[in-house]
Amino acid sequence: TGKAKGTAFIEFKSPDGAAAAAAACARTREGKGPEILVKGVKLEVDLALTGDDARKLGQTLTGSQPGQTGQSQGLTAGSKAAGGKFDRRNMYLAKEGFIEEGSAQWMAMSENDRRKRKRAAEEKNEKLKSPNFAVSIIRLAVRNIPPSWDEQKLRAVFIAGVKERATKENPHVKQVKILRDPERTDPGGNPAGKSRGFGFVEFADHSHALAALRQLNNNPKAFGSTERRPIVEFAVDNVKILRSREDKLLKQKQLQRQKKEQQQQQQGAEGAEAAVVGEPDNQQQQQQEVSNDDRWWEEVPDWLKASRQQQQQQ
């Protein structure tokens, strides 16, 4: 919309100046100093974080660990909500991507997009009434996907969206899925059927998923249409289904590991058996060599044999 968000960054000439401004605001919060005002508006001043520090803070808030990815991260992550309660269902992310009715962004979108957003919000709220549903921290639900797009195109747009917002990042998308109608023919020839315009994009890192959402949601340039803008939000997952899927994957990995160990043991046993079988051949070869020596002695003339025997006796 071009409207200021009320957030800005100020770079001081020296670290001491920045620290003094942040300390003054801290004293204000503690009731020990005057407020910092600009044209009557109270300011909140804090020292900015580097990209690495921001990621570490995000991991602390979500309860995730560096390198922790996949559906298990979406299940185990959480944050302390108001009142100090631990938010295991990641409800603090439910409002990400929400656009308030009557706002400038709301009025700028098409009537069709307004109806879709209302319906999506109702479906989400209904699901979240059940404790069996939780908000994913890495998987995004995407609506209004252009009919001609495939998973590769959608992946590229979301990766580009992250890089536009965080230029130094190298996001990794784990999975992209566009839902299709198998009973309707896809104009592009996709055998899975015509696109439903709805899909999911799963990132390996929460911060990248959040950056993509904030960059692409309701962005009129992202999908090339002001009438059908991206509707992006964190997906709501059924915890029981995800855990069941995780259990199956874990069992498959265990079976694969056991099979690999059995193959290694079998190969070792076969190697040992081959070594044992090879021993008689060596003995036979040695015996053959001895027998060859005996035959050589038998071929020595009698006069040379007698001379050798006399030398040995002397």
Side-chain angles (χ1 to χ4, degrees):
T1 62
K3 186 177 179 180
K5 295 182 178 180
T7 304
F9 293 91
I10 300 175
E11 184 175 355
F12 286 76
K13 290 184 178 180
S14 68
D16 294 339
C25 187
R27 287 194 297 271
T28 300
R29 295 190 186 106
E30 296 173 357
K32 298 179 181 179
E35 296 180 343
I36 302 176
L37 302 175
V38 173
K39 293 185 178 182
V41 179
K42 179 183 175 182
L43 298 185
E44 295 288 341
V45 182
D46 294 285
L47 293 175
L49 298 176
T50 65
D52 291 338
D53 290 340
R55 279 189 290 273
K56 291 178 182 177
L57 178 61
Q59 290 163 357
T60 301
L61 292 176
T62 60
S64 63
Q65 299 295 328
Q68 184 181 13
T69 60
Q71 296 164 341
S72 60
Q73 185 188 22
L75 289 173
T76 59
S79 174
K80 285 192 175 180
K85 295 181 180 179
F86 194 73
D87 183 10
R88 293 186 179 278
R89 298 170 61 202
N90 309 314
M91 299 291 284
Y92 69 102
L93 293 174
K95 288 293 184 180
E96 282 290 342
F98 174 76
I99 297 177
E100 187 175 357
E101 292 188 33
S103 65
Q105 286 185 317
W106 180 268
M107 300 306 296
M109 70 179 66
S110 66
E111 185 63 32
N112 189 40
D113 278 2
R114 294 177 194 172
R115 286 195 297 268
K116 287 183 179 180
R117 285 186 176 273
K118 284 184 177 180
R119 185 165 61 249
E122 291 172 357
E123 292 175 358
K124 181 198 295 182
N125 293 334
E126 187 64 28
K127 286 182 178 179
L128 292 177
K129 289 179 181 179
S130 169
N132 293 328
F133 288 88
V135 182
S136 173
I137 69 170
I138 54 175
R139 203 161 73 104
L140 299 174
V142 187
R143 292 175 172 82
N144 276 346
I145 301 172
S148 61
W149 282 22
D150 58 11
E151 280 80 359
Q152 185 176 359
K153 174 66 174 177
L154 187 61
R155 178 191 299 267
V157 167
F158 270 74
I159 290 177
V162 175
K163 292 184 176 181
E164 287 175 6
R165 194 173 185 89
T167 56
K168 295 183 179 180
E169 292 298 305
N170 186 25
H172 172 61
V173 174
K174 294 184 60 181
Q175 186 180 28
V176 179
K177 177 67 176 178
I178 296 177
L179 302 187
R180 297 181 178 275
D181 185 352
E183 297 182 358
R184 301 178 64 184
T185 303
D186 179 54
N190 192 306
K194 187 176 181 180
S195 169
R196 298 178 185 269
F198 178 72
F200 298 93
V201 178
E202 183 177 341
F203 283 86
D205 188 274
H206 166 65
S207 62
H208 295 156
L210 183 61
L213 185 155
R214 292 180 175 177
Q215 181 66 24
L216 299 175
N217 182 50
N218 200 42
N219 187 332
K221 298 180 181 180
F223 287 174
S225 172
T226 57
E227 296 297 314
R228 291 172 56 89
R229 303 182 183 186
I231 301 175
V232 187
E233 59 186 359
F234 281 102
V236 176
D237 295 328
N238 188 315
V239 178
K240 289 186 175 180
I241 292 177
L242 289 182
R243 286 177 177 167
S244 175
R245 190 178 302 167
E246 281 189 343
D247 290 341
K248 289 181 180 179
L249 290 175
L250 182 61
K251 290 180 181 178
Q252 289 178 358
K253 289 181 179 179
Q254 290 176 345
L255 290 174
Q256 290 175 355
R257 186 167 58 251
Q258 291 175 358
K259 185 177 180 180
K260 186 176 180 180
E261 291 175 353
Q262 290 175 355
Q263 289 176 347
Q264 291 175 347
Q265 292 175 357
Q266 184 176 359
Q267 290 174 356
E270 290 175 353
E273 183 179 354
V276 172
V277 170
E279 287 181 0
D281 293 338
N282 294 336
Q283 293 176 356
Q284 184 177 0
Q285 184 177 359
Q286 293 173 357
Q287 292 174 357
Q288 186 176 0
E289 292 175 354
V290 172
S291 62
N292 290 338
D293 291 342
D294 292 342
R295 284 198 298 271
W296 174 84
W297 180 250
E298 291 174 355
E299 294 174 357
V300 174
D302 292 338
W303 64 267
L304 183 57
K305 286 183 182 179
S307 177
R308 290 283 181 89
Q309 291 174 354
Q310 289 176 0
Q311 292 176 357
Q312 290 177 359
Q313 290 174 358
Q314 292 177 355

